[in-house]
Amino acid sequence: MQNNLMEPTNLPSLPAPGFIELRILESPIPLALTCIAVGVLVFATLRHSTHAKRIGRPAILLGLITGIGIYLTGHFIITDREHLETHSNRLVEAVIAGDTQSLNQLLSEKIEIKSSFFKVTNKDRVISQITSRGTTALDSATVRDVNTGILGSQMARTQIKVRVKGDMIPPLSWWSVDWTRSSPDTDQWIATHIEALWIQGFSNP
């Protein structure tokens, strides 16, 4: 049985990203440094041999070009997963601040929010609940982690770990958010369903 005071180790699995998306577009630095290091190693190994000019110099040049190319590609291309991570952070910030304008942009008209404590549907009702209750009990709230899975060209899901500080409020929680977009060509995702996965101290969130 999962201890409800400890973070869960069995969150629902999400589709994993492909190698190119993860290692080149999202985290290019390790692979870029590896390419450069291989080029330098080949050059250092052959610099005193008769193959230095024919193999060593082209190898270091190729390593540098490849490494820099990988880094620049990852730096300038923003993936769907990265857009969704940004949207997840914006969503939490908007809820905490009661930011009506941002909530209107981030929530679907038919948004549904569920936990064992409440269930609210319809964007106007959700925003009204957020803004009317306010966040006076909260000192601060931060996103500590975001897991992202692409479910289709226009569907995705994120799992958001939130830490809050305030009176009589569980400090840690995990939330699942379903997202959709109108076209595969846009990066404007909107949340359609939000559900509590785990709330610290509660066996049934």
Side-chain angles (χ1 to χ4, degrees):
M1 182 176 178
Q2 179 73 44
N3 186 336
N4 56 32
L5 293 177
M6 303 295 292
E7 280 194 61
T9 57
N10 57 343
L11 289 173
S13 61
L14 296 174
F19 176 84
I20 292 177
E21 183 177 16
L22 181 61
R23 299 302 179 190
I24 296 180
L25 300 182
E26 294 182 6
S27 303
I29 293 179
L31 184 58
L33 291 176
T34 298
C35 291
I36 294 172
V38 169
V40 171
L41 180 62
V42 172
F43 175 77
T45 302
L46 299 177
R47 64 178 178 169
H48 296 305
S49 72
T50 56
H51 302 294
K53 185 178 294 187
R54 185 170 60 88
I55 299 177
R57 292 179 183 176
I60 194 171
L61 182 62
L62 179 62
L64 285 170
I65 292 174
T66 304
I68 292 171
I70 289 172
Y71 172 77
L72 292 177
T73 300
H75 180 73
F76 287 109
I77 294 179
I78 301 176
T79 67
D80 286 335
R81 282 164 41 90
E82 289 172 314
H83 280 299
L84 285 159
E85 183 172 347
T86 298
H87 279 54
S88 297
N89 279 277
R90 285 185 58 206
L91 179 60
V92 173
E93 291 170 0
V95 169
I96 298 304
D99 185 342
T100 303
Q101 181 177 353
S102 293
L103 289 169
N104 267 305
Q105 295 173 349
L106 292 166
L107 299 179
S108 163
E109 292 293 337
K110 299 180 179 180
I111 180 68
E112 178 181 65
I113 302 180
K114 289 177 59 179
S115 84
S116 61
F117 308 108
F118 59 86
K119 178 180 178 180
V120 186
T121 58
N122 182 279
K123 181 164 70 173
D124 290 339
R125 289 183 61 193
V126 168
I127 293 176
S128 176
Q129 290 281 332
I130 292 171
T131 55
S132 63
R133 291 182 179 180
T135 56
T136 55
L138 291 177
D139 296 327
S140 65
T142 55
V143 173
R144 302 303 298 269
D145 197 6
V146 179
N147 301 327
T148 306
I150 304 299
L151 307 180
S153 62
Q154 294 172 240
M155 298 177 61
R157 179 172 296 145
T158 58
Q159 297 167 343
I160 309 172
K161 177 184 175 182
V162 182
R163 174 179 287 278
V164 300
K165 291 182 179 180
D167 294 332
M168 305 299 291
I169 297 176
L172 283 177
S173 58
W174 275 97
W175 298 81
S176 174
V177 183
D178 289 347
W179 302 85
T180 187
R181 58 180 173 180
S182 59
S183 164
D185 299 322
T186 181
D187 56 21
Q188 299 303 310
W189 295 84
I190 57 173
T192 60
H193 182 85
I194 302 173
E195 186 169 355
L197 295 175
W198 174 79
I199 298 175
Q200 192 170 36
F202 292 86
S203 57
N204 183 18

